[in-house]
Amino acid sequence: MAPQVVLVTGCSSGIGLCAARRLAQDPDQRYLVIATVIAMAEKAELVAAVGDAIDKTIFIKEMDITKDEDITRVVDDVIKTRGRIDILINIAGIAIIGVPERVSRARIESIFNVNTIGTIRLTQAVLPYMKQKKAGKIISVSSLAGKQGVPYGEFYSSSKFAVEGFFESLLSTVKSFNIRICMMETTQVKTRLVTGVFSDIDTQINDDTIDDIDRRQLRCLLDVLKEFPFISVDDVVDVMMTKCVEVDDPVFRHLVVPPETKEALIETVADLTGEKSIVALRKFIKAS
């Protein structure tokens, strides 16, 4: 059987790098990976991770998902050279945590362009070929923040909420074409993205032009986030492989959180009134 062609975004580090490596180094060589990075200057870590699989079971392409011309170029090239895209894995993303009224329009547009519009536009580009083949999988790394708001994470959460809404709506129609969709809803993952978020929060805590209440609440949030159990990129990719990639008819949502926090998170997310979530989140910032 020919290997499945898998297009993966955000492969320069973190979850994307781990997923690309796992697929490319599959012992049975079931996958041919098209791993994308925003710029070729950022491919070194991926090249080192995949070793001699490079240009055999994995091929690196430059693609900025905020640019339609990049998306078109890469998708067209894959279809021309491979004939199909069997699996699309949307991983590329950025995060912003901060006092909402101080976040510029440029930063708001940036996070939506990457997390939401770029993901949607790439999906749009791949869908016609999957529909034609009457087969395919689209797997997207979302976040628990796409199901539950995060204090001072209004723009990150809303960008993920939008993606969740898009794919939940899409799921009901493309299933008729034998296309399956999965959402990976993760809690904190040990990546550079989280390290950057911590640094941003720390900068704002030390900015005396920010209201004392916001600074106090941000300090409490940072303390909670640093103490909150992390999951590893391998944890996320394990679930992705065993529950999505390797399953013929996977379910839509996959909550990827530490075992010790799962029960409490499920209870707040399932609360129809939203009051339990609000109470839990206000505890994060020690709001009275």
Side-chain angles (χ1 to χ4, degrees), residues 21 47 104 114:
R21 182 186 68 226
V47 171
S104 68
V114 175

Side-chain angles (χ1 to χ4, degrees), residues 20 40 57 89 97 104 108 110 112 117 125 128 167 170 172 212 217 227 253 262:
M40 282 300 189
T57 57
I89 305 180
I97 299 290
S104 68
I108 296 169
S110 175
F112 274 88
I117 298 171
F167 282 114
L170 184 67
S172 60
D212 288 345
Q217 293 185 154
E227 294 174 2
R253 284 195 168 96
K262 190 168 188 177

Side-chain angles (χ1 to χ4, degrees), residues 247-262:
V247 177
D248 290 335
D249 191 13
V251 300
F252 177 52
R253 284 195 168 96
H254 302 268
L255 186 62
V256 190
V257 299
E260 62 269 33
T261 66
K262 190 168 188 177

Side-chain angles (χ1 to χ4, degrees), residues 16-88:
L17 187 153
C18 183
R21 182 186 68 226
R22 184 82 64 90
L23 290 159
Q25 295 178 344
D26 178 69
D28 298 319
Q29 297 189 348
R30 294 173 293 172
Y31 311 104
L32 192 155
V33 185
I34 312 300
T36 68
V37 295
I38 194 170
M40 282 300 189
E42 298 188 8
K43 72 175 184 177
E45 191 173 342
L46 176 60
V47 171
V50 300
D52 60 8
I54 198 77
D55 293 335
K56 295 176 183 176
T57 57
I58 184 168
F59 300 84
I60 302 174
K61 302 287 185 183
E62 182 175 291
M63 181 173 69
D64 181 344
I65 63 169
T66 69
K67 297 178 179 178
D68 281 359
E69 59 269 27
D70 277 20
I71 290 173
T72 299
R73 173 179 49 79
V74 170
V75 171
D76 285 354
D77 179 69
V78 176
I79 295 300
K80 181 179 179 180
T81 57
R82 308 297 171 185
R84 68 193 191 281
I85 295 172
D86 298 301
I87 304 173
L88 169 62

